Amino acid sequence: MKNKLIIGRYLPNNSVIHHLDPRAKVLFVFMFIILIFFAHSFATFGWIILLILVFMFLAKIKFWFLIKGLTPIFIFTLFTFAMHIFFTHGGTRLVDYGIIKIDSAGILEGIFISLRLITIVMVATIMTLSTSPIDLTDAFEKLLTPLKWFKIPVHQLSMIMSIALRFIPTLMDELDKIILAQKSRGSELSSGGLMTRIKAFIPLMIPLFISAFQRAEELAIAMEVRGYDANVKRTSYRKLQWRMADTMCLISFIPIAVVLFVLKYIGV
Amino acid sequence: MNTRNLVYTALMTAIICVLGLVPGIPLPIMPVPIVLQNIGIFLAGMILGKKYGTLSVIVFLLLAAAGLPVLSGGRGGIGVFAGPSAGFLFLYPVVAFGIGFVRDQYFNKINFVVLFVTTLVIGVLFLDIVGTIIMGFIIHIPVSKAFLLSFTFMPGDIIKAIIASLIGVTLLNHSRFKSLIQ
């Protein structure tokens, strides 16, 4: 498990998209994903894919990274496609063999829904590869600021995220140690009956939680003696800079959406 | 919110992330291995209660949206929230809130039956059925077929509910641990 270091999938680079303010990127990707749900023809998906290739070029990302980002949803895409082939009906009947009936509408629907999943993951992967996780957590804190009018503790969110990020490798090491210690005492998660394996979780989880919460209490005390108060407004060592390029990025969404809706409603 | 609760929330978020990184553990009689991430969601509600448990799950989802590969299977990134499993992800805070609410009501007389029934109803039946229906909407599958699909998830999730309830009842009746979280 130590091989799974939490470095995210950020690719340091020196491209136009890397230098954009993360708030602009989050907003743009959010609107773009909503736009993808309006695409439902070959022309509209062609436009979406063309845009994704442009983003990929601007971010200096190799096509292989986009394909690799599709790996987790590969099974879902196949499953979706198969479900539509066998259960969606309409148009020309292509196969009629007992309970198996395949229509052209089913194949088209399967293609469109699969393209939707693929394009959404691709555009999200471009943002993930071109923005560091810390920048993204900063962006989320800024974008969620209006929620404080609903009594949501927004300005504590970034602190919680930062502490959680720092805790993850510590907890992974701790869990590794506990697993090895219990194995040296004869506990085995991967053999035996169902109840045996269920019970084997207890010696892993209880020590993990108790030592972790003790560590958390020590950290809270250390923060307080350094003058931290969770309810007081803080200054920030890291600052986000909004520039003209960020405004242009958001404004460019308007022609993108206009072209898609034109393609959609002239019925290509 | 004080500093101690803030750090506990962050710690619970990290625990949910780490449980998602543990490889799936194969079980006899079941075709798919069990992943531990759901256990983290259940335990967030049990241990921290409805307010901080829900907040820890929300922060976990924000970290996943930020691109960290903390979802089970190494997934992450904002695209997951528009993909087929988006329904389950958005229901996680609701599940943590529901379990945490019941935990807050019974805090001084907690036992396995209370935790297990709560987790079974909210974390297994509600999460699987509603999550699968939302999955059906996203991939344009009729509701009836999506509903039937939810039964394929339930055996594994029932086992996770048992594990989480055993851990939760042990921790909440552990005098040292109870003094830590009070």
Side-chain angles (χ1 to χ4, degrees), chain A residues 4 9 72 76 80 83-84 87 109 124 136 140 160-161 164-165 197 201 205 209-210 212 214 216-217 231, chain B residues 1 4 7 10-11 14 21 25-26 36 47 59 62 66 68 75-76 79 84 139-141 145 167 174 176 180:
Chain A
K4 297 188 176 181
R9 283 173 290 184
F76 265 128
T80 302
M83 286 283 281
H84 279 287
F87 293 112
E109 190 74 7
L136 279 171
F140 288 148
I160 295 175
M161 285 190 264
L165 277 173
R197 296 193 206 195
F201 277 98
M205 293 291 124
F209 272 88
I210 293 180
Q214 280 172 347
E217 189 178 29
N231 298 307
Chain B
M1 178 180 284
R4 210 169 78 134
V7 178
L11 175 73
L21 295 171
I25 296 170
L36 304 186
I47 291 172
V59 174
L62 285 175
L68 294 170
R75 295 174 296 144
I139 59 180
H140 286 197
I141 298 294
K145 292 185 172 60
I167 296 169
H174 191 285
R176 173 76 177 108
L180 275 175

Side-chain angles (χ1 to χ4, degrees), chain A residues 83-147:
Chain A
M83 286 283 281
H84 279 287
I85 284 183
F86 291 117
F87 293 112
T88 301
H89 298 299
T92 308
R93 174 140 300 180
L94 302 171
V95 173
D96 193 340
Y97 186 79
I99 61 171
I100 299 179
K101 301 179 196 303
I102 299 179
D103 291 359
S104 61
I107 295 180
L108 285 180
E109 190 74 7
I111 289 174
F112 292 146
I113 302 303
S114 301
L115 278 177
R116 176 182 295 174
L117 297 178
I118 290 169
T119 50
I120 285 172
V121 170
M122 277 187 166
V123 71
T125 301
I126 293 174
M127 182 178 77
T128 303
L129 293 174
S130 64
T131 316
S132 74
I134 296 296
D135 282 341
L136 279 171
T137 54
D138 284 344
F140 288 148
E141 184 199 356
K142 295 295 190 293
L143 294 173
L144 295 175
T145 298
L147 292 184

Side-chain angles (χ1 to χ4, degrees), chain A residues 1 4-9 26 29-30 33 37 40 72-73 76 79-80 83-84 87-88 109 113 116-117 120-121 124 127-128 131-133 136-137 140 144 153 156-157 159-161 163-165 167-168 171-172 175 189-190 192-195 197-199 201-202 205-206 208-210 212-217 219-220 223-224 228-231, chain B residues 1-15 17-23 25-30 34 36 39 43 47-48 55-56 58-59 62-63 65-70 73-80 82-85 135 137-142 145-146 149 159 162-163 166-168 170-171 174 176-177 179-181:
Chain A
M1 206 168 63
K4 297 188 176 181
L5 288 176
I6 304 295
I7 54 174
R9 283 173 290 184
V26 170
V29 168
F30 186 74
I33 287 176
F37 279 96
H40 209 269
I73 65 157
F76 265 128
F79 169 79
T80 302
M83 286 283 281
H84 279 287
F87 293 112
T88 301
E109 190 74 7
I113 302 303
R116 176 182 295 174
L117 297 178
I120 285 172
V121 170
M127 182 178 77
T128 303
T131 316
S132 74
L136 279 171
T137 54
F140 288 148
L144 295 175
Q156 284 98 341
L157 276 185
M159 178 59 78
I160 295 175
M161 285 190 264
I163 298 176
L165 277 173
F167 263 133
I168 290 172
L171 287 178
M172 285 174 62
L175 187 56
L189 271 172
S190 305
L194 194 69
M195 288 308 297
R197 296 193 206 195
I198 289 179
K199 287 173 182 168
F201 277 98
I202 312 297
M205 293 291 124
I206 306 299
L208 177 71
F209 272 88
I210 293 180
F213 273 82
Q214 280 172 347
R215 193 190 306 267
E217 189 178 29
L219 175 60
M223 287 168 70
E224 284 178 343
Y228 179 80
D229 186 332
N231 298 307
Chain B
M1 178 180 284
N2 61 35
T3 308
R4 210 169 78 134
N5 287 326
L6 182 141
V7 178
Y8 283 170
T9 304
L11 175 73
M12 195 67 232
T13 297
I15 290 175
C17 296
V18 169
L19 290 179
L21 295 171
V22 178
I25 296 170
L27 291 185
I29 82 178
M30 288 188 53
I34 275 204
L36 304 186
I39 294 177
L43 286 170
I47 291 172
L48 295 183
L55 186 58
S56 69
I58 290 172
V59 174
L62 285 175
L63 290 180
L68 294 170
V70 293
R75 295 174 296 144
I78 213 164
V80 184
S85 51
M135 178 196 285
F137 281 137
I138 292 174
I139 59 180
H140 286 197
I141 298 294
K145 292 185 172 60
L149 184 66
I159 292 174
I162 295 174
I163 294 172
L166 285 172
I167 296 169
T170 305
L171 286 171
H174 191 285
R176 173 76 177 108
F177 190 81
S179 67
L180 275 175
I181 61 175

Side-chain angles (χ1 to χ4, degrees), chain B residues 90-101:
Chain B
F90 287 118
L91 289 172
Y92 279 167
V94 182
V95 168
F97 182 87
I99 295 175
F101 181 85

Side-chain angles (χ1 to χ4, degrees), chain B residues 34 38-39 41-42 46 88 91-92 94-96 98-99 115-133 147 149-165:
Chain B
I34 275 204
N38 286 32
I39 294 177
I41 306 297
F42 302 156
M46 288 180 192
F88 295 99
L91 289 172
Y92 279 167
V94 182
V95 168
I99 295 175
L115 289 181
F116 177 66
V117 171
T118 304
T119 309
L120 188 67
V121 172
I122 299 174
V124 179
L125 297 180
F126 171 75
L127 178 65
D128 281 345
I129 293 174
V130 181
T132 318
I133 289 173
F147 178 77
L149 184 66
S150 69
F151 288 109
T152 63
F153 296 123
M154 283 188 186
D157 283 354
I158 290 173
I159 292 174
K160 290 175 209 173
I162 295 174
I163 294 172
S165 303

